[in-house]
Amino acid sequence: MNRLFFLLLAWLGSAPLFAQVPADQTYLDPSFGAFRHQLMNCVLNQDTSCLKELLADTVMESKDGCDYPGCPKDKFIQYLFGDPQYAQTQWDLLKVYLRFGFISVSTQAEKEKSAFAFPRGQKVEGRIFQAPIYLNAVDRQIQMLILGENVNIRKSPSTSAPVVKRVSFEVVNCDCGIEHVTEETFVHTEGRDWIQVLNADREVIGYVAQSLTSFQYSRILTIAKVDGDWKIISFFQLPGC
């Protein structure tokens, strides 16, 4: 194993564990653990050739232009990594997912619930793995997960505003979904995006930097066995995001 892999393992191990963050389930299949190791190396090196080898021939994605049942792998690479500025966002997103780990989807009911996240008509056998790990921890229409320790919730959307609360890996309320969003839900100021935080009674508490919340990471990464080998079959943005 190379040095980068050990560095990432050390980073993963340093991530605090809280009751509201589901446990990584990579351990359920050693062969998937080996695949994840390969993916780690591709992401850390920002190597699209390496990543391409881990893609299914058809990958579900939602940026634009690919009809169902998905996007040919060459087109997928071009869409997501052809523009250097946009590509960096995708590499950073994959790093976050690798940090928090994967959930296992094994029952038929779980697969049917997740069906929108992989190509239509694609036969999925056995266990699949999906990230982000907090997929089922929140109702994205009205909740989000704070992805950090001692994250500041401020009275208004500004780094100079008073801190009203500090939270660590906690589920908080918001008007995040398209059915609930208001003009005050999302604010862009001081060169960053902020999102409004509500209490249990749906009253405004303050604002938190959107980059420190699960709302920032809306794609679903789905990995399944294709002809006996683990492959990325989907990198799909949730509906309404």
Side-chain angles (χ1 to χ4, degrees):
M1 294 182 190
N2 63 36
R3 183 169 178 271
L4 285 172
F5 179 55
F6 283 114
L7 287 173
L8 183 57
L9 283 181
W11 179 43
L12 289 167
S14 67
L17 297 177
F18 292 81
Q20 290 180 301
V21 181
D24 176 28
Q25 296 181 326
T26 299
Y27 69 91
L28 292 172
D29 191 314
S31 66
F32 177 73
F35 176 90
R36 183 179 174 183
H37 170 202
Q38 290 180 281
L39 181 56
M40 285 177 185
N41 285 325
C42 297
V43 172
L44 288 172
N45 291 305
Q46 297 193 3
D47 186 341
T48 53
S49 296
C50 171
L51 181 63
K52 182 178 175 181
E53 293 300 313
L54 305 183
L55 299 176
D57 290 338
T58 299
V59 183
M60 180 75 165
E61 73 86 46
S62 49
K63 183 171 181 283
D64 57 28
C66 281
D67 296 327
Y68 290 106
C71 188
K73 63 167 68 178
D74 287 326
K75 202 169 184 180
F76 176 88
I77 292 290
Q78 181 60 34
Y79 273 168
L80 270 68
F81 300 98
D83 180 336
Q85 185 173 359
Y86 186 73
Q88 189 59 56
T89 300
Q90 305 313 307
W91 290 124
D92 291 345
L93 176 59
L94 288 169
K95 285 179 184 177
V96 170
Y97 287 4
L98 285 167
R99 180 186 181 191
F100 284 96
F102 292 81
I103 59 172
S104 169
V105 177
S106 58
T107 69
Q108 187 59 36
E110 289 172 331
K111 288 177 183 177
E112 289 174 358
K113 183 178 179 181
S114 303
F116 64 85
F118 49 83
R120 290 179 182 175
Q122 182 158 340
K123 189 176 182 180
V124 177
E125 297 180 354
R127 190 185 302 276
I128 67 174
F129 287 90
Q130 290 187 311
I133 191 77
Y134 44 81
L135 273 173
N136 299 319
V138 296
D139 178 346
R140 285 181 52 85
Q141 295 297 312
I142 57 173
Q143 296 175 318
M144 58 186 170
L145 180 65
I146 301 298
L147 300 177
E149 191 168 10
N150 294 320
V151 172
N152 293 326
I153 297 178
R154 297 183 179 274
K155 187 174 182 179
S156 61
S158 170
T159 54
S160 60
V163 175
V164 296
K165 188 176 182 181
R166 288 189 173 91
V167 296
S168 299
F169 294 91
E170 182 179 324
V171 175
V172 297
N173 296 307
C174 62
D175 287 324
C176 312
I178 56 176
E179 296 180 4
H180 306 279
V181 65
T182 71
E183 292 183 358
E184 292 78 32
T185 300
F186 301 102
V187 177
H188 181 82
T189 184
E190 299 179 349
R192 70 179 66 197
D193 294 315
W194 300 83
I195 187 167
Q196 195 177 65
V197 180
L198 311 178
N199 64 18
D201 294 322
R202 313 300 296 177
E203 299 168 334
V204 176
I205 298 176
Y207 284 82
V208 64
Q210 186 174 304
S211 62
L212 297 174
T213 74
S214 59
F215 191 87
Q216 182 79 1
Y217 307 103
S218 56
R219 284 183 176 269
I220 297 176
L221 177 65
T222 303
I223 300 169
K225 279 193 173 180
V226 178
D227 296 327
D229 295 320
W230 291 106
K231 297 290 183 180
I232 295 171
I233 64 170
S234 172
F235 195 42
F236 182 75
Q237 183 136 326
L238 288 165
C241 298

